[in-house]
Amino acid sequence: MFGTKPRSAWLTGVLTTGIAAGLLTAAPAHAVVGPAAKDGEYAFTAQLDIGGQRSCTGALVDPQWVITAARCFADRPDQSTEVEPGAPKLKTVATIGRTDMSGDEGQTADIVELVPRADRDVVMARLAKPVTGITPVTVATNAAAQGETLRVTGYGRTEDEWAPERLHSAEFTVKAADTTLLKIGGADPANAAICAGDTGGPAFRTVSGRPELVALNSTSWQAGCFGADAAETRRDATSTRVDNLNLWVQNVRYRPVFAAAPWEKATHIASGYFTGGSAGGSRHMDMIVRWNDAEVTLYQGSDDKDPRHPFAAEYQLAEPPKPGKTTIWQHAKQITGASFGGGTDGLVVRWGDGELTQYTHVDAKGFHGEKMLAKAKNTLWPHAQQITAGRYSANQQRDDLLVTWDDGRVTLHPDIDTNGVADKAQKVIVNKNTTWTHATHISAGEFTGTKTMDLLVRWSDGEATLYPGVDTAGFHGETNVRPKKSYWTNTNAMAGGAYAANDRANDVIIPWANGSVSLYPGVDASGTHEEIKIVN
C-alpha cells in the first residue's frame, strides 16, 4: 500500500449535490481539471446521475455494462466502498457518448443491476438496454508501470467550474502501484487534478490507436478543484486497478447472455476441462450442450468463486442445419465428456446408426483427434441407451465408459482410450435387469470421496439414485436422493462436474423442461443439498 493517511483528510471524488450545489444548478454536477474533450472524443466515458444526489464517471466496457467505482453507490461514499449486489438503491441514469452535456448526442439508459467487486473499489453496472454505435473500451491485461503516463477523463468539477458542460481529460503519471491500486499525479502538476464527480472515471493508455482501460478514479486530495480547501496543495490521487480484473469483467458481462439461452431446448450436456484448467484450479469445469436443433455449444468455465455464475464465455462448435440440409449432430444420441490423459478432456459420442466416436480433445475451435470406437451400422451399439465416462477402474489416468442398454444390462469398459469398447475388455455389472431400462439420465461424479467414481441415475419416474464407488466388481450399495414422482421428472439432461469449489466433480447441473437451470453444489453420500438457480 501507499501508507496510511487520516480518513478525514483523504477526500473522495464523488460529487454530492447538496444544498450548495442546488443553489448553483438543478442538474447533477458534471471533470478532471484539464482541457475539454473534443466532440465525440473518449465516447466510452459515461456520466452517472445517482438519484439526483451524486454524480460519478464510468467507462463503457460492453454495450450493456459500465464499470465505475463502487463507492459511488455506497451509503457513505467517503467512508465505505461496500455495495449490495442487485438494483441500485437510488434511480441511476447513465449518459454515454455525450461530450457536451448541454447537447443531446450519445445515449442514456437506466442502471438496473450492480455487481460489486469484493476486494476493491469497483462495480459493474448493467444498463437496462444495450448502447449502440459507441465502441466500448477494452480492459487492459498489462499493468501500468511506474512512470507510465495515463490519460484520465471525467465529468467532475474543474478549477473554476462547479458544473462544467463538457467532458475533460488530463494526463497523469503513475508514481507507485500495488496489486489493487495505483498512485497517480498530474503529468503537469499545476494543471491536472481529479475532482468531485470524477470518481469511477477511466484511466487508460492508447495502444495502436485504441484505448485500454487500466484503472478507475477512486480518491483524491482535490487541490486545485473548485470548492476545495484553499490550503490543500496535494494533487495526487489513488486509482483502482482493473487490468488484473479482465476475467472477472468477462464473467460479469457474460451472465445475461448465458441466462438468455433457450435452456428448455438443451437435449444433452457433457462436463469436462475442454479449454484448459484442472481439478483444484481456479476455473470451473466447461460444459458442452447439444440443442434440439443440432447446434453444439461449448460453455467455458469461469474463475468466479460464486457458484451462481459458473460460465464466462461460449463457443459454437457446430451450427444448426440450414433449411433443407442436415448435419451429423442431428444424429447424436448420447454424449459424455471423458479424460484420455494429456491434461485436457475430450468427448465420446454415440450416433443413431450405432457408430461410437471418441474425440481425444475438444476446445473452442472444435473437435480433434477423432477415433472410431465402434463402426457405423453395427448391430450392438444402436441398443445403448445411456453412456457416461469416469474413473471406475484401477487406471486413474484415463476414463472408463459405463453404458446402460435397452435390455437392462449395465456394462463397464475400462480405459476406452487404450482398450476401446471391445467385448474382451468389458465388465458386465448388471445382466439384463428390466429396472435399468428406465435409466433416463446417468452421470459419473466424485460425490462420496471413494477410490473410484460414483454413478448418479435419474429414472423415468423421477426417482434419483446414487451408487457410490462403482468399479469393475460392480455396485456397492445405493442411496436414494430423490423419491418417485419428484420434480426431477422434468430434467432435460444431467451432468456431474466441478462447477462450484473446482476441486472435485461433486456438483450436479440440470437444465429443466421449463428453461431454468439448477446447480446442486457439493452432492455427497446423503444425496443432493442446496439448489442454486443459475438460470431462473
Side-chain angles (χ1 to χ4, degrees):
M1 299 293 291
F2 308 127
T4 303
K5 299 178 175 66
R7 182 176 295 276
S8 60
W10 188 245
L11 301 177
T12 178
V14 176
L15 179 59
T16 302
T17 59
I19 296 175
L23 294 174
L24 292 174
T25 175
H30 313 297
V32 171
V33 173
K38 298 177 182 178
D39 288 344
E41 199 171 23
Y42 317 124
F44 56 83
T45 308
Q47 192 268 351
L48 308 180
D49 174 8
I50 304 170
Q53 300 178 19
R54 304 173 188 166
S55 179
C56 280
T57 304
L60 188 74
V61 291
D62 176 89
Q64 203 162 356
W65 290 92
V66 167
I67 192 168
T68 186
R71 68 174 65 248
C72 293
F73 299 93
D75 292 336
R76 293 291 304 272
D78 58 333
Q79 297 182 7
S80 174
T81 63
E82 292 185 6
V83 178
E84 290 295 323
K89 292 182 179 180
L90 300 174
K91 176 180 172 61
T92 303
V93 179
T95 302
I96 304 103
R98 185 171 297 174
T99 310
D100 185 347
M101 293 303 294
S102 66
D104 59 2
E105 74 275 12
Q107 297 168 55
T108 62
D110 289 349
I111 287 176
V112 294
E113 181 187 8
L114 302 176
V115 181
R117 175 78 184 190
D119 65 341
R120 64 192 76 179
D121 185 14
V122 173
V123 67
M124 289 278 282
R126 182 166 63 89
L127 305 176
K129 58 184 180 181
V131 169
T132 59
I134 299 174
T135 303
V137 64
T138 299
V139 179
T141 56
N142 297 322
Q146 186 171 346
E148 182 177 356
T149 298
L150 303 175
R151 180 164 293 277
V152 175
T153 56
Y155 286 97
R157 301 175 190 170
T158 64
E159 185 176 17
D160 54 6
E161 296 174 290
W162 182 279
E165 294 287 354
R166 298 188 69 88
L167 175 70
H168 283 66
S169 77
E171 290 186 335
F172 286 77
T173 302
V174 177
K175 294 186 173 182
D178 65 16
T179 56
T180 62
L181 299 172
L182 299 179
K183 182 178 180 180
I184 62 175
D188 179 0
N191 294 295
I194 292 174
C195 302
D198 294 328
T199 299
F204 55 94
R205 64 167 71 95
T206 300
V207 179
S208 301
R210 300 189 61 175
E212 289 185 352
L213 182 64
V214 175
L216 301 171
N217 301 333
S218 182
T219 53
S220 169
W221 291 108
Q222 301 189 64
C225 299
F226 189 88
D229 184 351
E232 180 59 67
T233 60
R234 291 166 292 187
R235 290 174 176 256
D236 288 350
T238 298
S239 295
T240 305
R241 287 180 58 182
V242 298
D243 62 275
N244 52 5
L245 297 183
N246 201 284
L247 289 177
W248 177 76
V249 170
Q250 177 181 315
N251 294 348
V252 174
R253 289 169 55 188
Y254 182 67
R255 292 176 187 181
V257 179
F258 179 80
W263 290 101
E264 70 279 4
K265 299 179 180 180
T267 59
H268 303 80
I269 57 177
S271 303
Y273 291 106
F274 304 113
T275 62
S278 61
S282 62
R283 275 183 43 191
H284 302 304
M285 262 189 179
D286 309 315
M287 180 173 69
I288 291 176
V289 179
R290 188 267 194 189
W291 307 90
N292 65 357
D293 63 356
E295 183 177 2
V296 181
T297 305
L298 170 62
Y299 290 92
Q300 180 179 305
S302 77
D303 65 348
D304 195 329
K305 294 181 180 179
D306 187 343
R308 294 173 298 175
H309 307 291
F311 303 105
E314 67 180 61
Y315 305 94
Q316 187 183 59
L317 301 184
E319 296 181 0
K322 296 179 180 179
K325 303 292 183 179
T326 61
T327 73
I328 186 175
W329 285 95
Q330 288 176 280
H331 305 291
K333 297 301 181 182
Q334 292 102 33
I335 65 174
T336 183
S339 174
F340 304 112
T344 55
D345 292 341
L347 198 70
V348 176
V349 183
R350 205 278 283 177
W351 308 95
D353 61 1
E355 182 178 345
L356 195 69
T357 303
Q358 167 188 339
Y359 296 99
T360 58
H361 174 57
V362 182
D363 59 22
K365 296 181 180 179
F367 306 94
H368 310 281
E370 182 178 356
K371 178 180 179 182
M372 186 181 295
L373 299 176
K375 294 182 179 180
K377 299 181 180 180
N378 66 76
T379 59
L380 175 64
W381 282 90
H383 297 283
Q385 285 192 317
Q386 305 296 331
I387 64 174
T388 189
R391 306 288 171 84
Y392 289 121
S393 67
N395 186 342
Q396 295 296 299
Q397 300 301 314
R398 294 181 296 274
D399 279 350
D400 316 303
L401 189 70
L402 190 146
V403 185
T404 66
W405 303 85
D406 61 8
D407 62 0
R409 288 181 301 126
V410 181
T411 59
L412 180 64
H413 304 263
D415 191 0
I416 51 177
D417 189 51
T418 301
N419 299 325
V421 291
D423 287 346
K424 63 181 180 180
Q426 78 171 4
K427 306 291 182 181
V428 178
I429 296 178
V430 176
N431 194 359
K432 295 185 178 181
N433 183 325
T434 56
T435 297
W436 281 89
T437 63
H438 299 284
T440 304
H441 302 302
I442 66 174
S443 179
E446 301 176 20
F447 307 116
T448 64
T450 49
K451 184 176 180 180
T452 54
M453 279 193 173
D454 315 306
L455 180 70
L456 181 63
V457 181
R458 198 278 273 177
W459 307 95
S460 59
D461 62 0
E463 184 177 359
T465 306
L466 181 62
Y467 295 89
V470 178
D471 58 24
T472 54
F475 298 119
H476 305 283
E478 63 181 63
T479 298
N480 181 272
V481 297
R482 281 294 182 274
K484 294 179 181 179
K485 299 181 181 180
S486 76
Y487 183 70
W488 281 34
T489 55
N490 299 302
T491 59
N492 275 4
M494 179 183 75
Y499 297 116
N502 305 335
D503 54 351
R504 281 178 54 200
N506 65 340
D507 312 313
V508 176
I509 194 166
I510 296 177
W512 304 95
N514 66 0
S516 63
V517 182
S518 294
L519 177 66
Y520 296 88
V523 175
D524 60 23
S526 65
T528 56
H529 296 284
E530 176 189 13
E531 178 184 12
I532 299 174
K533 285 285 189 179
I534 57 177
V535 177
N536 289 312

